[in-house]
Amino acid sequence: MKSRILFMGTPDFARASLEALIAAGADVIGVLTQPDKPRGRKMQLTPSPVKVCALEHNIPVYQPKTLRDEAFSELLASLAPELIVVAAYGKILPENVLSYPRLGCINVHGSLLPKYRGAAPIQRAIIDGERETGVTIMYMAEGIDTGDMLAKASCTIYPDDNFETLHDRLADLGAKLLCETVVKLEDGTAVRERQDDLKSTYAAKITNDDCIIDFNDTAENIHNRIRGLSPFPLAVAEHDGRAVKLIASELYDSETEHRNPGEVLRCDGAGNRIIIACKKGAIALTALLPEGKKRMRAADYINGRRVTIGDVFKKYTNI
């Protein structure tokens, strides 16, 4: 890889792509990432995973608050990138940035476009019960994930996947596909394909409302929501008047109709399961996070909260 590459990204998903470019010998002339954010109980300013990676490899890091002022235009001109690579950067690129590099601006997106355009493609695919997803390398355009596609790679969504496990596989898959695509861009063999807007779907950012579990739903839908939101931000319900976040579950039954959704049907401490009725079917909770406590196994929750058959997990409303 011989082109001058400016990399723009922030979370772990982006770090995988940056590391792959560095390992492949790419000329990464600089990295743009979001400003450090306060994290943890002490709210200490913490650098993004991409910033940490760049500093480890002595790559200059820039954290502009905006890409739309004269200061950034001057920075862009001084860096003079031939290609801009973006992966989960967190800001929309203005037209003057999109049109600057000779080889264009390309993006690593965690879905098989045009499905799941938007901010949360990995979570939404799991929540929707998809069996397959993937990554797409595309040219960036002024719309949200609407640019012409350059490469795709598919990935199976397994029944026991959650957001974390699928995220990590897609990050690695996207990193590998990115390096292959950059080589093709540089040697002129890359082929661009227009997206079919009629087949597009939108993966909106996850909100607090998305995290609320309503047991007046099918067990399959509830199980998919729990795993799609785990390990962060986590689905939430109410038990014994308190919020409890649901970390992990199993699909216990998918057919039986229940008159009292949310009712505890069985407490299986030895098997580490709390069986809860849904409108249709039942789920088995295996890991939970009670309000004000640490994450725990279902068996420990049963003992600590003295969960019994007939208890009810309700829809949490104080969010």
Side-chain angles (χ1 to χ4, degrees), residues 1-24:
M1 298 183 191
K2 52 188 178 296
S3 56
R4 293 170 55 83
I5 297 174
L6 176 62
F7 186 88
M8 303 172 71
T10 299
D12 283 314
F13 184 85
R15 175 172 181 150
S17 289
L18 177 59
E19 288 177 336
L21 288 172
I22 294 169

Side-chain angles (χ1 to χ4, degrees), residues 174-211:
K176 180 176 182 293
L177 191 64
L178 169 65
C179 291
E180 294 171 357
T181 304
V182 170
V183 170
K184 290 180 180 180
L185 281 172
E186 291 179 338
D187 66 19
T189 60
V191 178
R192 58 196 302 163
E193 175 188 357
R194 293 191 64 180
Q195 294 189 43
D196 184 347
D197 292 340
L198 296 177
K199 295 181 180 178
S200 69
T201 59
Y202 185 65
K205 182 179 179 180
I206 299 296
T207 66
N208 287 341
D209 287 343
D210 291 311
C211 298

Side-chain angles (χ1 to χ4, degrees), residues 1-151:
M1 298 183 191
K2 52 188 178 296
S3 56
R4 293 170 55 83
I5 297 174
L6 176 62
F7 186 88
M8 303 172 71
T10 299
D12 283 314
F13 184 85
R15 175 172 181 150
S17 289
L18 177 59
E19 288 177 336
L21 288 172
I22 294 169
D27 183 15
V28 181
I29 57 174
V31 162
L32 262 69
T33 191
Q34 291 295 301
D36 297 1
K37 292 185 177 181
R39 299 186 188 279
R41 292 184 177 181
K42 296 183 179 180
M43 299 300 286
Q44 292 183 331
L45 283 178
T46 304
S48 72
V50 162
K51 179 178 179 178
V52 172
C53 177
L55 294 177
E56 288 173 349
H57 292 88
N58 298 313
I59 298 173
V61 175
Y62 308 94
Q63 297 173 280
K65 292 182 178 180
T66 179
L67 306 181
R68 300 178 182 275
D69 59 11
E70 186 63 29
F72 183 73
S73 294
E74 292 175 359
L75 174 62
L76 190 63
S78 67
L79 293 172
E82 297 172 283
L83 174 67
I84 293 178
V85 172
V86 181
Y89 173 54
K91 286 183 182 291
I92 296 176
L93 274 59
E95 194 282 330
N96 66 303
V97 177
L98 293 175
S99 62
Y100 186 92
R102 174 178 61 85
L103 294 174
C105 295
I106 62 173
N107 183 49
V108 185
H109 185 74
S111 80
L112 297 174
L113 292 171
K115 291 186 69 174
Y116 295 109
R117 295 172 176 173
I122 304 174
Q123 295 100 319
R124 296 289 179 188
I126 298 175
I127 290 171
D128 291 348
E130 297 281 357
R131 303 294 179 86
E132 182 185 58
T133 186
V135 289
T136 305
I137 312 296
M138 63 174 183
Y139 280 113
M140 299 189 72
E142 291 189 15
I144 297 176
D145 301 325
T146 58
D148 290 352
M149 301 176 293
L150 289 162

Side-chain angles (χ1 to χ4, degrees), residues 267-269 273-274 297-307:
C267 296
D268 181 7
R273 298 187 301 177
I274 303 171
R297 300 167 66 247
D300 297 324
Y301 187 81
I302 291 170
N303 294 331
R305 289 293 176 90
R306 301 188 183 280
V307 184

